Amino acid sequence: MGRGRLSAALGLACCLLLLGGSGGLASRGAPRGPWEEEQGPVAEGKRWGRARYEAVKKHLGAVGALSKQYWQYLACKVWREGCGEEEEEFSPRPGWSLPLVGRDYLEIISAWYCSFGKCCETGDCRIVNNITGLEADLSGQLHGQHLAKEVVVRAVQGFLQSLRPQKALVLSFHGWSGTGKNFVARMVASYLYRDGLKSECVRVFISLFHFPHHNYVDSYKAQLKKQISETMQLCKQSLFIFDEAEKLPVGLLDAIKPFIARSDKGQVDYQRSIFLFLSNLGGNTINEVALDFWRAGRAREEISMEFLEQRLRLELLEAAENSYARSHLLQENLIDFFVPFLPLEYHHVKLCARDAFLARGLPYTEAALNEVAGMMVFVPKEEKLFSAQGCKSVSQRISYFLP
C-alpha cells in the first residue's frame, strides 16, 4: 500500500470503527471489559462470571470480523481490491453477508472519498450501470416520448447484460430540437457512470465545436481515432456521444467504423462501448407521422417503432447530401436502433415547466404553467399542435415569474 493509499486508509479507518460499533457494542453502550473491572472495588467473579466473560469475548471477536469485512468491502468499492471479477455483486467470502445499513454507510463513504479524485488507475470503478434508476427517471421526467423510453432502456440493458456482445451498441437519436435527445444522453451517462458526463469513460463531441473546419478532416480523423482508442483502453466500458451528427464533416465518421463494427482478434476489445448519435435529421418525417395520427383521432402512444423506424430510415438514406446519411454507419447497417423523438404538445410543455419550477425549488400554479407554455410557438399554423422549440428555453422563461 503506497503512502497516499495509507493516508487514505487511516482516514477511512475512523469510519470503519464507527461502522463496526453501529451494529454492536458502541451503539448500545457496551459494558467495560474484565481487565477494567479488576482495577475497581468489585471482587472478581461477582459481577463478571466466566460465562459472561466468554460471551463478551465472542462478541468482540464478531465485531472485529465484521470490521474486517467492512474494510474488504470498502477496498473493493474504492480500489477494486479483494473482489472477484466474476461476481456481479460483491461478497468477500462465501457465506458472508453485510448488514444493509452498513452497506448504505459504505456507499456514502466510498462516494465521498472518490469525489476527491481517482479511486483506481482506470475509470472502471466509477461504473454503476443503474438501469433501474435510468428507467425510473425517464418515466418521470421525459415527457411525450414513449418510444424513446422503451427503446433506450431495453437496448442499453440488453447490451450490458450480454457477456460477449457481438459489436458496440450504436443508437441514433432523431427529432426536432428540444424534444429530449440531449436530455436522454445526459441521463444515460449519469446512470451508467458515477461522474456522469465528467467521467473519464465518457467523451462528448459537438460537431461545430470540435470539428469546425471541413478542410481539416484528415487531422480530425487522426485525433478522433486517438481519443476513442485511449478511452477504450482506459475503460472496459465507454460511452461516446456525438451531438449534431448531421453537421459533422464529410467522411469523418468513417474513421470510427473499426470501433463500431466487429473487432479483430488481438486488438483492443471495442465491443463493450456505446455510441450515441444525436441529430435533427428525420424530424419532419417523425412530425408528419405524429400529425397524421392526431388528425385520425388516434393517440400518439399508438405509434409503434415498426411503423416509424422504417420511414425514418428511408428518409435518412434519401438525404444523400448529408455527411451523416452518407457515412458507412447507415450504408452498412452499423446503427442498431434509430430512436425517434416525437414533437411535443402543449401539455408536454406544461410538464417541462413544472419540472423547471421544481428543480429550482419554486412554487408554481396552473396559471403560471399555462403562461409559460403560452410563450412558445406552436405549429402547424392551422392546428398549432406541436411546440416548434420543444421544451428548449422553458427553464429560462420561468425567470419571468421570479420575484
Side-chain angles (χ1 to χ4, degrees):
M1 181 179 294
R3 181 174 300 177
R5 181 74 60 81
L6 180 59
S7 61
L10 292 175
L12 293 172
C14 298
C15 299
L16 292 175
L17 289 176
L18 294 176
L19 287 172
S22 64
L25 296 175
S27 61
R28 297 183 178 86
R32 292 177 297 171
W35 51 90
E36 295 176 292
E37 290 297 328
E38 291 175 356
Q39 299 174 4
V42 182
E44 181 181 0
K46 233 177 183 183
R47 186 175 176 185
W48 289 91
R50 183 67 180 175
R52 189 169 186 182
Y53 170 79
E54 292 295 336
V56 172
K57 181 180 178 182
K58 181 178 180 181
H59 187 76
L60 290 173
V63 171
L66 183 61
S67 296
K68 181 179 179 181
Q69 186 184 3
Y70 276 127
W71 174 256
Q72 291 188 358
Y73 182 86
L74 187 63
C76 172
K77 294 293 292 183
V78 175
W79 298 298
R80 307 302 296 172
E81 293 179 355
C83 48
E85 296 181 354
E86 71 281 359
E87 299 181 12
E88 294 182 0
E89 182 176 358
F90 174 71
S91 176
R93 294 182 184 176
W96 280 25
S97 177
L98 284 175
L100 293 179
V101 175
R103 287 198 179 206
D104 291 340
Y105 288 153
L106 285 172
E107 290 289 346
I108 296 173
I109 292 174
S110 62
W112 168 81
Y113 173 76
C114 291
S115 67
F116 292 99
K118 294 182 180 179
C119 291
C120 55
E121 294 180 356
T122 70
D124 298 336
C125 64
R126 312 288 286 170
I127 297 173
V128 292
N129 289 345
N130 183 4
I131 301 299
T132 302
L134 174 63
E135 184 175 13
D137 262 12
L138 287 179
S139 297
Q141 300 183 40
L142 181 64
H143 307 300
Q145 305 297 352
H146 67 286
L147 294 177
K149 293 176 186 176
E150 180 181 3
V151 175
V152 170
V153 171
R154 287 192 176 185
V156 174
Q157 184 177 37
F159 177 75
L160 296 179
Q161 289 178 345
S162 176
L163 297 178
R164 295 184 179 276
Q166 296 181 349
K167 60 182 291 294
L169 175 64
V170 184
L171 304 180
S172 190
F173 294 175
H174 298 272
W176 266 7
S177 176
T179 52
K181 300 186 297 295
N182 278 281
F183 180 73
V184 173
R186 289 196 303 270
M187 271 200 175
V188 171
S190 298
Y191 282 100
L192 297 191
Y193 303 90
R194 192 185 303 275
D195 301 320
L197 293 176
K198 296 181 180 179
S199 171
E200 293 180 334
C201 300
V202 179
R203 298 301 301 265
V204 179
F205 301 99
I206 303 174
S207 298
L208 296 181
F209 180 77
H210 292 96
F211 315 107
H213 305 292
H214 288 228
N215 295 331
Y216 300 151
V217 175
D218 291 338
S219 176
Y220 291 155
K221 282 184 177 181
Q223 294 175 17
L224 187 59
K225 285 182 178 180
K226 182 175 183 293
Q227 292 176 7
I228 292 179
S229 179
E230 289 177 350
T231 303
M232 288 181 170
Q233 291 174 2
L234 175 67
C235 306
K236 293 181 180 179
Q237 176 186 305
S238 48
L239 172 65
F240 302 96
I241 302 173
F242 290 81
D243 194 11
E244 298 181 325
E246 74 277 5
K247 298 177 183 178
L248 290 169
V250 176
L252 178 63
L253 287 179
D254 295 339
I256 67 175
K257 177 184 173 182
F259 303 103
I260 292 179
R262 297 174 184 269
S263 60
D264 297 329
K265 294 182 179 180
Q267 295 183 355
V268 178
D269 184 7
Y270 301 138
Q271 297 175 354
R272 187 63 70 182
S273 54
I274 301 175
F275 288 79
L276 303 181
F277 294 94
L278 284 55
S279 171
N280 291 336
L281 286 177
N284 292 334
T285 294
I286 296 171
N287 294 355
E288 288 175 3
V289 170
L291 184 59
D292 290 342
F293 269 68
W294 182 83
R295 287 173 174 170
R298 302 176 63 183
R300 62 193 283 137
E301 287 74 20
E302 295 182 34
I303 302 176
S304 65
M305 277 294 296
E306 292 77 14
F307 181 82
L308 189 52
E309 188 178 23
Q310 184 177 4
R311 295 191 177 194
L312 179 58
R313 185 187 292 267
L314 289 175
E315 180 184 343
L316 296 177
L317 291 175
E318 290 175 358
E321 74 284 354
N322 188 273
S323 61
Y324 183 61
R326 290 165 54 187
S327 68
H328 287 291
L329 274 66
L330 270 73
Q331 296 177 359
E332 299 185 20
N333 297 316
L334 297 178
I335 297 176
D336 299 298
F337 294 95
F338 293 91
V339 185
F341 283 74
L342 301 173
L344 299 181
E345 300 175 11
Y346 185 87
H347 64 283
H348 298 134
V349 177
K350 287 180 60 178
L351 291 173
C352 292
R354 180 205 63 184
D355 293 346
F357 276 105
L358 293 175
R360 296 193 185 185
L362 299 174
Y364 64 89
T365 63
E366 190 70 16
L369 299 183
N370 282 317
E371 191 166 350
V372 172
M375 294 179 180
M376 310 299 285
V377 177
F378 288 84
V379 295
K381 186 176 181 180
E382 298 78 15
E383 292 89 349
K384 293 186 177 181
L385 179 62
F386 304 132
S387 171
Q389 295 176 282
C391 279
K392 185 168 287 188
S393 79
V394 164
S395 60
Q396 288 78 14
R397 292 176 187 269
I398 68 172
S399 299
Y400 289 103
F401 298 91
L402 299 180

